[in-house]
Structure formats: structure tokens, C-alpha cells
Amino acid sequence: MPQISNYTYDEITIGQTATYSKLIEARDIQLFAAVSGDVNPVHLDAAFAATTQFGGCIAHGMLSGAIISAAIAMELPGPGTIYLGQTLRFSLPVKPGDTLTVHLQVTEKKDKRRMVTLDCKVFNQHDKLVLSGIAEVMAPGEKLVLQRPALPLVRIEG
Amino acid sequence: MPQISNYTYDEITIGQTATYSKLIEARDIQLFAAVSGDVNPVHLDAAFAATTQFGGCIAHGMLSGAIISAAIAMELPGPGTIYLGQTLRFSLPVKPGDTLTVHLQVTEKKDKRRMVTLDCKVFNQHDKLVLSGIAEVMAPGEKLVLQRPALPLVRIEG
């Protein structure tokens, strides 16, 4: 059984890092449209998107934000983390076929409320920064080692 | 044919508002897990989630962030908007069956780069604030009236 575990507040150190990567496929853009309701033509209509400054369909900016939140929830601190706040600064568009890598680094700890601040940077496969920001979380108080749920199997039918 | 249109920078006024609502279903949580890779048990494992402070599965915080981005992209300013930045402050958990309503209000315009600042608040069906933040966007320079793409049809298979 694959497992997932976390870093507790006491285990976390200033400067600690983690990474998390994801290939962004055309289907991810369709899934993000379905889950958010954002069916903007620049994301879903290839003919229209080709006429824009982007020259083709681009991913929703907040899809890259979702990858940051996944990095925090899955890697550092991991399960049991409570998300308090996030800033996001969008720098470059993301296209289908891009591989995004989130770099997290712990920059601050505050014992009150077990608050941890993380610097978040998302790079594409050309090492260009596409998104940056700062996350504030309440780190887990207890060590958790849990069964890792399977990724839901999703089929796009149209 | 359903259409989608936007507000250009010149049409946008300080104080202008828009709303956008979405019912969050269990399937949205599964879709968000699939698209982000965040398969945290608190979102997907009902038996584990029942043992947490939340008493059951909760939605990913960034799913509510995705609803804000959809409100901006679909309603105000709408198509042609370039997302520059977003702050997010998570206040309350969201559970399957909750209906989220985003309230957007224009608070600032800067002619340079057609920059528009929007106050963003997300309430649940009990009028409780679940998420708040500030968005910075580059508003569209041109009026667009476009065919509205259909919501992708997605089936969850397991």
C-alpha cells in the first residue's frame, strides 16, 4: 500500500525545501474548466486562442496555483496542514505539454499556532518562472503516516 | 449559441460588482484531486476525514481559489483579462453540498497597463465568509463577444 506522511511543526526547519512536479496536459485544462466553471475560449477554443497574443490555448493561471497547493499538501508540510493564506504572482503563461515544478522553501516559523511561511516558486521545463508567491500554513502537530488514496480516474467525454 | 462577453478597461468603474456561484459537489473534490495531484486523505478518504477536526471530507482550499479565478474570467472583467496577482486568506472549510458565491468589487484602476484591482470575497450558503483576497488584473482593451464553449463533460470512473 503506498503511503503518505508529513513533517510536524517540530520537525520543520528554516531553509527546508521540497519540490513537486506535474506535466500539464490538454486534459488538465479541460478538467480545470469543468471543476471551476471557467470555460474561457482562451483555454478551450483552439481557433480563438490562436488569434490571441498567446498563439494557442493556455492553462488557467489558477491551475498553477493548484499545483502549489498540492505541493504543500502532499510534500511540505504534507497531510494535516491547514492552509491559512497564499499570495500568487503570475509571470508567464503555461501551455499544454509544459512540465511545472514547484519549489518550496521554509522561510519562517512562529510557535504560536504552529505557523510556517513558505516561499513558493513554479518553474516550467525551460527553468522560466511562471508563478511565485508566499504560503502561510498551520503545520501539523502530530506525525501522520496514512494510506495514500489513489488518484481519481477521470474520463473526458466531450 | 450562448455567448460570453467582457467589460473593457474603459467600461469598468470603481465600485462595480459581480457575483458568481457554484455548488461544490463531492465529484468536484475528486476532479480537483485529479487535476492537481493532491490526493490528501482529508479530501478523499471519508473514514479518515471523519476522525479529523472537520468531521468529514472537505474541499481543497484552492478549489475555492479556482472559483474566484472563474468569477474574474467569466464575469468581471471577463474574457481577455490577464491575471497578474491574487492574495487568498482561507477562513472556513468547504464541504460537499456547500454553495459558494464569489462577490467581486472593483476597488482601483490604474491607466498604466490597464490595471484593475478587485476585492474578492467568497461566502457559503450560510453567508459565512470562507475565503477573501485581492485580485490584480490587466483588463481587456477590446470588447469581445465570443461563443461560450460548453462545459467539458467529465465522468469519474473510480
Side-chain angles (χ1 to χ4, degrees):
Chain A
M1 269 295 187
Q3 292 186 318
I4 179 174
S5 66
N6 64 4
Y7 294 95
T8 65
Y9 180 81
D10 290 341
E11 290 173 331
I12 292 169
T13 55
I14 305 286
Q16 186 171 353
T17 60
T19 61
Y20 176 88
S21 292
K22 188 173 189 312
L23 169 65
I24 304 297
E25 299 175 274
R27 75 189 302 275
D28 292 313
I29 300 174
Q30 291 180 287
L31 287 182
F32 199 84
V35 76
S36 67
D38 179 355
V39 293
N40 228 278
V42 76
H43 305 306
L44 297 181
D45 182 337
F48 169 76
T51 70
T52 67
Q53 65 184 287
F54 304 113
C57 285
I58 59 168
H60 306 72
M62 199 57 88
L63 173 50
S64 302
I67 307 302
I68 289 181
S69 82
I72 291 167
M74 298 295 289
E75 301 295 338
L76 178 66
T81 302
I82 308 281
Y83 218 164
L84 300 176
Q86 178 75 53
T87 67
L88 299 168
R89 178 63 44 185
F90 302 98
S91 306
L92 281 179
V94 172
K95 296 194 172 183
D98 284 355
T99 296
L100 300 184
T101 301
V102 182
H103 292 253
L104 301 177
Q105 182 162 38
V106 175
T107 56
E108 198 177 357
K109 289 180 70 179
K110 289 183 194 159
D111 291 353
K112 193 179 170 187
R113 289 189 80 195
R114 301 194 303 271
M115 189 161 2
V116 172
T117 304
L118 299 115
D119 182 69
C120 313
K121 289 191 168 66
V122 185
F123 296 91
N124 65 19
Q125 70 277 18
H126 306 299
D127 290 328
K128 299 288 187 191
L129 185 71
V130 301
L131 174 59
S132 56
I134 293 170
E136 279 184 8
V137 304
M138 188 190 304
E142 283 179 60
K143 192 75 178 175
L144 293 174
V145 180
L146 303 170
Q147 282 186 24
R148 182 186 173 117
L151 202 63
L153 272 180
V154 171
R155 192 164 68 175
I156 297 169
E157 300 190 319
Chain B
M1 269 295 186
Q3 292 186 318
I4 178 173
S5 66
N6 65 3
Y7 294 94
T8 65
Y9 180 80
D10 290 341
E11 290 173 332
I12 292 169
T13 55
I14 305 285
Q16 186 172 352
T17 60
T19 61
Y20 176 88
S21 291
K22 187 173 190 312
L23 169 65
I24 304 298
E25 298 175 274
R27 75 189 301 276
D28 292 313
I29 301 175
Q30 292 179 288
L31 288 182
F32 199 84
V35 76
S36 67
D38 179 356
V39 293
N40 227 278
V42 75
H43 305 306
L44 297 181
D45 181 336
F48 169 76
T51 70
T52 68
Q53 64 185 286
F54 304 113
C57 285
I58 59 169
H60 305 74
M62 199 58 89
L63 173 50
S64 303
I67 307 303
I68 288 181
S69 82
I72 290 167
M74 298 294 290
E75 301 294 339
L76 179 65
T81 301
I82 308 280
Y83 218 164
L84 302 176
Q86 177 75 53
T87 67
L88 298 168
R89 177 63 43 185
F90 302 98
S91 305
L92 280 180
V94 172
K95 296 193 174 186
D98 284 356
T99 295
L100 300 184
T101 301
V102 182
H103 292 252
L104 300 177
Q105 183 162 37
V106 175
T107 56
E108 199 177 358
K109 290 181 70 181
K110 289 182 194 160
D111 292 352
K112 193 177 171 188
R113 290 189 80 196
R114 302 194 301 272
M115 187 157 8
V116 172
T117 305
L118 299 115
D119 182 69
C120 313
K121 289 192 169 65
V122 185
F123 295 92
N124 65 18
Q125 70 277 17
H126 306 298
D127 290 329
K128 299 288 186 192
L129 185 71
V130 302
L131 175 59
S132 56
I134 293 171
E136 279 183 9
V137 304
M138 188 190 304
E142 284 179 59
K143 192 76 178 175
L144 293 174
V145 181
L146 303 170
Q147 282 185 23
R148 181 187 174 116
L151 201 64
L153 272 180
V154 171
R155 192 162 66 174
I156 297 169
E157 299 191 319

